Amino acid sequence: MSELNKIALKILSNGKGILAADESTGTMTKRLESVNVLSSAENRLLFRETLFSSESMKNCIGGVILYDETIKQLTNSNKSIPDLISSAGAVPGIKVDTGAKVLAGSPEEKITEGLDGLRERLKEYYQLGAQFTKWRGVYSISNKYPSKLSIYSNAHALARYSALVQECKMVPIVEPEVLMDGNHSAEDCFNITSEVIKKCFEELILHKVDLSGIILKPNMILAGANSEKKTSNEEIAKLTLKCLRENVPSDVPGIAFLSGGQSEVEATENLNLINKNNDTNFIMTYSYGRALQQSALKFWSKDIENTEGTQKVFNHRANMCTLAAQGKWSA
Ligand code: 13P
């Protein structure tokens, strides 16, 4: 078993999942302002430190994805954030892309940037304690899109990123996110996600990435948020499993879904059904941002000193997700 494979399994095994707390300062500011909390570096740290110090870090959270600001911050008791996470038995990770920008040649689409100087930044993050990383490519569905150009160029960037990350002894999370925005059907999402994932693996293989040392972070197969046709949770689970079974090479140890705008309960219920019906060898777990933090953030915003109460809300959500990651959740 390679070292990278061991790290991936440590993050994903036994119903554990990933807490995606890597919102950029811009996104975090939107989240905090939506609950009327000032977005200062201090408040961003306070909320995150509250989550990282909670009980469920030990039993539920296998890894935490950090943002550049957070990985360099110190806790109240002068501990580094990666140390705080490691002391709970979880693995610290870091978002290393620098965001999705307009794609030259297809200006209505996005390409994720951050490859220039990446090797040097990775060395720094490794020194700071990171053992895994994240890079997210985004694709929107509409009549014309995603274009072949966006599917190819994002796959290429994800593969170049992954090769560099493994060279620096860390596990890359490969995140091709087909967005939920729009009125497309679940079948459209299935066809496009299949094409996107297939292309990603073609590029990963071309760049000699060790597939046993990556984590795939895909979207579930869902109809667009504005679609009139309702897809049942059973259908979502069935289509998601079919897409992954057909397009993910068997060397990949595990899949950790993004929540992508699903509610906390939807994201839990869908993950549970995926696991109840999982006929693949892949671990299927969560790497949720909003679907782990939403209720905790709302609670915290009412009294940002109430650490215990906020942790109770977060622990409940993390416990539910961990049950779902084992197909043991019930409403
Ligand atoms: P959501 O679960 O809120 O979609 O965020 C996960 C993530 O890391 C997106 O890149």
Side-chain angles (χ1 to χ4, degrees):
M1 211 201 284
S2 73
E3 284 306 310
L4 294 179
N5 183 252
K6 273 190 213 157
I7 298 171
L9 291 177
K10 177 170 181 198
I11 297 170
L12 306 175
S13 296
N14 306 319
K16 287 190 176 181
I18 299 171
L19 167 60
D22 60 320
E23 299 85 358
S24 65
T25 301
T27 302
M28 197 59 186
T29 298
K30 271 190 235 151
R31 302 267 151 86
L32 292 181
E33 285 177 352
S34 76
V35 292
N36 298 315
V37 175
L38 173 73
S39 179
S40 58
E42 197 182 20
N43 283 345
R44 292 192 289 274
L45 175 63
L46 181 60
F47 178 63
R48 286 166 163 160
E49 192 180 336
T50 302
L51 303 187
F52 305 162
S53 320
S54 56
E55 192 56 35
S56 53
M57 286 290 297
K58 294 197 188 94
N59 314 318
C60 304
I61 305 298
V64 179
I65 318 173
L66 299 168
Y67 181 60
D68 181 74
E69 175 183 73
T70 324
I71 201 171
K72 295 169 180 168
Q73 284 173 318
L74 295 178
T75 66
N76 225 349
S77 52
N78 255 344
K79 222 179 188 181
S80 80
I81 295 293
D83 279 353
L84 173 67
I85 292 166
S86 304
S87 66
V91 181
I94 180 79
K95 184 230 298 290
V96 302
D97 68 66
T98 56
K101 310 285 161 57
V102 172
L103 174 61
S106 185
E108 288 180 63
E109 299 187 282
K110 299 268 175 69
I111 176 73
T112 302
E113 294 190 346
L115 289 172
D116 284 0
L118 181 57
R119 183 181 274 125
E120 289 67 35
R121 287 195 293 126
L122 291 172
K123 286 181 185 156
E124 186 193 356
Y125 289 137
Y126 184 81
Q127 289 300 325
L128 289 168
Q131 294 186 60
F132 73 102
T133 65
K134 177 188 121 173
W135 179 291
R136 168 175 174 262
V138 277
Y139 313 81
S140 306
I141 302 182
S142 70
N143 288 342
K144 296 192 281 181
Y145 301 123
S147 65
K148 296 277 176 222
L149 174 62
S150 120
I151 293 175
Y152 168 74
S153 53
N154 276 296
H156 177 82
L158 276 162
R160 284 189 57 198
Y161 140 82
S162 299
L164 281 166
V165 170
Q166 290 193 336
E167 182 191 283
C168 292
K169 303 188 176 64
M170 294 184 282
V171 170
I173 292 187
V174 175
E175 181 179 9
E177 176 174 10
V178 178
L179 295 168
M180 232 170 114
D181 308 335
N183 55 12
H184 54 269
S185 64
E187 287 70 29
D188 293 333
C189 180
F190 174 87
N191 291 329
I192 286 164
T193 305
S194 298
E195 190 181 347
V196 161
I197 291 180
K198 201 174 180 170
K199 190 75 198 167
C200 283
F201 281 105
E202 271 176 39
E203 289 291 315
L204 288 165
I205 291 166
L206 192 66
H207 287 79
K208 306 200 164 27
V209 171
D210 168 11
L211 298 184
S212 75
I214 73 159
I215 295 169
L216 179 69
K217 174 163 173 168
N219 50 282
M220 294 180 190
I221 303 301
L222 306 166
N226 299 323
S227 159
E228 274 159 22
K229 227 177 110 196
K230 183 94 187 81
T231 319
S232 68
N233 299 97
E234 285 75 16
E235 189 66 12
I236 291 169
K238 201 174 122 201
L239 288 171
T240 303
L241 282 163
K242 181 169 156 62
C243 173
L244 298 169
R245 194 188 309 116
E246 290 176 358
N247 297 292
V248 183
S250 58
D251 288 352
V252 173
I255 292 170
F257 295 98
L258 59 97
S259 61
Q262 298 179 72
S263 73
E264 291 177 338
V265 173
E266 271 170 337
T268 309
E269 184 164 9
N270 287 332
L271 179 64
N272 189 56
L273 283 172
I274 288 171
N275 275 294
K276 278 196 146 170
N277 296 291
N278 186 3
D279 53 357
T280 72
N281 289 324
F282 305 122
I283 296 173
M284 302 266 187
T285 186
Y286 57 91
S287 175
Y288 293 165
R290 284 162 288 179
L292 271 174
Q293 300 183 59
Q294 222 158 42
S295 298
L297 180 66
K298 223 185 221 168
F299 185 94
W300 175 77
S301 69
K302 307 233 159 65
D303 175 6
I304 65 171
E305 301 299 330
N306 189 350
T307 303
E308 213 174 296
T310 306
Q311 290 179 339
K312 213 170 141 190
V313 176
F314 176 70
N315 287 335
H316 174 70
R317 212 53 263 151
N319 278 311
M320 294 304 104
C321 287
T322 280
L323 284 173
Q326 301 165 92
K328 292 180 183 165
W329 175 83
S330 59

